[in-house]
Amino acid sequence: MMQVLRTLLILTLFLVSPFAGAEYRIEWSNPYTNVIPDIQDICISTDQTGEYFMAFADTSSSTLENLVYDGNPHFHTVDDLGSIYWTKSALTECGSLQLISYSDLMTQGISMSYFHDGSWNYNFTEPETDRITGIRNACNGADTFVVYTIQNSSNDSYLKLMHNCSGPYMTQTVAQIGSSYANATFDCEVAPNGSLYMIYWDQDTSKLRFT
């Protein structure tokens, strides 16, 4: 009898609950639209003030563009790419600055710029002779991590890491992740303890790996 009463009580509470049968909907506030004929490789980030940073490759001008949205749109050109073919980019908040790392055929490597005082300031380019197929960023204080994938002339894919933990930027190979086509299935994040974690899919073994 007591079990029946408990069941009825639980059922009654569920039926009168404001969440019972409710459909959760996300309401988008202050939508912004803009006509851009053709873009590639879009990414987004936010800063400590709540401003939104978006980056994309504009195919009509072959430039890497940035849109800062603080309730009003503000456009900035990050760099002239010469060609948007295989452009990849990633945005990340690093302290009070926004970091963008990106690839293009003109630089033959990974370029980095920081957003400061309303404009993008070019930092440097780390050479990379193979085709870059994906980029992610992560920061821990002054330590910056750029994790990316490449595909060489033999169609082998590798996961690589560029960082400045020891001072100057250095690059190292993390793992081979494929041997037949461009594999760019990965992501990275810095934990509260400052450690960098990476997750990636190994194409040759069909295994998801975490390091």
Side-chain angles (χ1 to χ4, degrees):
M1 183 66 179
M2 291 299 296
Q3 183 62 37
V4 173
L5 290 175
R6 289 193 189 97
T7 304
L8 290 174
L9 177 60
I10 293 172
L11 180 58
T12 302
L13 290 174
F14 176 77
L15 291 175
V16 300
S17 169
F19 301 105
E23 179 183 357
Y24 184 76
R25 297 178 59 86
I26 297 177
E27 298 295 335
W28 297 100
S29 61
N30 301 321
Y32 170 75
T33 60
N34 188 41
V35 177
I36 302 175
D38 191 15
I39 65 174
Q40 290 187 11
D41 197 62
I42 193 168
C43 52
I44 188 170
S45 178
T46 60
D47 68 5
Q48 297 173 349
T49 66
E51 292 183 347
Y52 292 87
F53 289 75
M54 289 154 271
F56 57 92
D58 188 335
T59 59
S60 62
S61 60
S62 294
T63 55
L64 183 63
E65 299 291 333
N66 164 240
L67 168 62
V68 181
Y69 189 77
D70 57 4
N72 294 298
H74 308 278
F75 284 89
H76 308 272
T77 297
V78 180
D79 200 0
D80 182 359
L81 302 178
S83 170
I84 50 81
Y85 186 66
W86 288 117
T87 295
K88 300 295 177 183
S89 61
L91 273 168
T92 306
E93 182 185 20
C94 292
S96 61
L97 301 175
Q98 282 287 332
L99 163 71
I100 187 168
S101 58
Y102 55 98
S103 67
D104 68 270
L105 293 182
M106 288 185 66
T107 60
Q108 284 294 298
I110 293 180
S111 297
M112 300 177 66
S113 291
Y114 290 91
F115 191 80
H116 181 64
D117 288 339
S119 63
W120 288 95
N121 300 272
Y122 172 77
N123 191 4
F124 80 106
T125 297
E126 181 74 10
E128 178 60 69
T129 56
D130 294 313
R131 179 165 67 88
I132 298 168
T133 56
I135 298 179
R136 302 287 189 276
N137 296 332
C139 291
N140 177 40
D143 295 335
T144 302
F145 305 93
V146 180
V147 182
Y148 63 100
T149 50
I150 61 99
Q151 183 185 35
N152 62 21
S153 58
S154 300
N155 288 328
D156 296 325
S157 291
Y158 290 88
L159 182 68
K160 304 186 74 172
L161 167 65
M162 182 174 72
H163 66 86
N164 63 345
C165 296
S166 302
Y169 277 95
M170 60 178 296
T171 302
Q172 64 188 80
T173 298
V174 178
Q176 181 173 350
I177 58 174
S179 57
S180 59
Y181 64 86
N183 178 16
T185 308
F186 72 100
D187 207 348
C188 67
E189 185 60 79
V190 172
N193 64 3
S195 298
L196 175 70
Y197 292 93
M198 288 177 277
I199 185 171
Y200 62 93
W201 180 64
D202 188 328
Q203 175 198 95
D204 293 333
T205 62
S206 297
K207 291 182 178 180
L208 187 65
R209 300 186 183 274
F210 176 76
T211 184

